Amino acid sequence: MPFEIQNTEIEDVKLIKIKKFDDERGFFEELYRNNVFHELGIKNNFNQVNLSYSKKNVFRGFHFQRNPKPQGKLVTVISGRIIDYAIDLRRRSVYYKKHVCYELENGRMLFIPEGFAHGFLALEDSYVLYLATNEFDIKLDSGVIYNDDELNIKLPDNITISEKDRSLKKLNELDIDF
Ligand SMILES: Cc1cn([C@H]2C[C@H](O)[C@@H](COP(=O)(O)OP(=O)(O)O[C@H]3O[C@H](C)C(=O)[C@H](O)[C@H]3O)O2)c(=O)[nH]c1=O
């Protein structure tokens, strides 16, 4: 089995250990296999693959795509190290407004279902590859500002963050319908 799925403190968010085949040439990894993920309970299909490069101390997030095209994400690190955050925005969830965060480097993935906000802090220069369940739609692109007290997430003071992310709203200013 190329993947080992572990539960996290939020039921539907899964940490996935990737089987790595090392040899004298380097290594091989599978990052996704539809039937295996379905068997392991992650039944989503993924319609888009993204790659972003972030210098050390860059923070991207917290982003989500609104209905009717929310994005579940399968996040992995090609090289580097990040802290990956998932915030439950599903109003009827017992974990509403709660988050989990995990340090990811090559070999570990985080599955974040639809209805969550996602963000990550680059602990070193990092290439992050992630699959998304729905395609990007800029009209539905939204997010929560990184320092919203309601999220109880403390990021370092010296982060590099985009103007767009710096101007995101607080959770209680958003009309979220997950
Ligand atoms: C997300 C996305 C962006 N773009 C374009 C739009 C902008 O012109 C440019 C940079 O976009 P943005 O600044 O939103 O990129 P990130 O800050 O890395 O956003 C992502 O960061 C967090 C961590 C996520 O989970 C989301 O996938 C996504 O919101 O790429 C596209 O053309 N397609 C896309 O799917």
Side-chain angles (χ1 to χ4, degrees):
M1 182 68 86
F3 310 102
E4 183 189 310
I5 290 206
Q6 297 157 23
N7 290 323
T8 69
E9 296 86 342
I10 295 182
E11 199 172 341
D12 299 323
V13 179
K14 303 294 182 190
L15 197 57
I16 299 152
K17 189 167 170 20
I18 301 167
K19 190 177 178 75
K20 192 170 192 171
F21 298 91
D22 287 302
D23 63 27
E24 69 284 356
R25 299 167 300 169
F27 72 80
F28 175 87
E29 289 175 346
E30 284 189 24
L31 296 181
Y32 176 70
R33 200 194 297 191
N34 188 282
N35 64 341
V36 171
F37 269 64
H38 281 221
E39 274 167 40
L40 292 169
I42 298 179
K43 300 195 182 300
N44 305 71
N45 289 313
F46 295 90
N47 290 296
Q48 183 171 318
V49 184
N50 301 328
L51 171 66
S52 68
Y53 169 69
S54 297
K55 295 170 188 166
K56 181 177 177 178
N57 295 330
V58 161
F59 176 76
R60 293 176 188 257
F62 296 104
H63 303 157
F64 61 92
Q65 195 157 281
R66 295 196 311 277
N67 281 331
K69 295 167 69 180
Q71 286 186 318
K73 292 161 191 162
L74 181 64
V75 184
T76 194
V77 175
I78 302 303
S79 77
R81 209 157 42 92
I82 67 170
I83 298 180
D84 208 38
Y85 297 83
I87 305 166
D88 194 346
L89 299 182
R90 301 169 301 180
R91 289 185 179 285
R92 287 177 295 281
S93 164
V94 292
Y95 307 100
Y96 179 50
K97 296 186 189 177
K98 299 272 187 289
H99 75 275
V100 286
C101 60
Y102 286 91
E103 193 172 309
L104 297 182
E105 51 193 6
N106 183 266
R108 262 182 9 148
M109 298 193 280
L110 196 63
F111 172 69
I112 302 167
E114 295 175 353
F116 281 68
H118 174 234
F120 62 82
L121 172 66
L123 299 173
E124 51 193 71
D125 294 357
S126 300
Y127 287 87
V128 179
L129 180 137
Y130 51 106
L131 285 67
T133 55
N134 274 304
E135 293 174 3
F136 177 66
D137 182 334
I138 200 154
K139 300 186 299 302
L140 302 173
D141 191 25
S142 187
V144 187
I145 193 156
Y146 69 97
N147 59 3
D148 182 348
D149 294 338
E150 219 178 345
L151 300 179
N152 291 315
I153 295 174
K154 182 75 184 92
L155 293 173
D157 295 333
N158 64 338
I159 55 171
T160 303
I161 183 167
S162 67
E163 269 317 305
K164 178 188 138 197
D165 287 355
R166 216 175 271 286
S167 54
L168 290 171
K169 291 185 177 170
K170 292 187 173 184
L171 204 48
N172 65 17
E173 296 168 333
L174 292 168
D175 177 20
I176 299 170
D177 61 348
F178 290 129

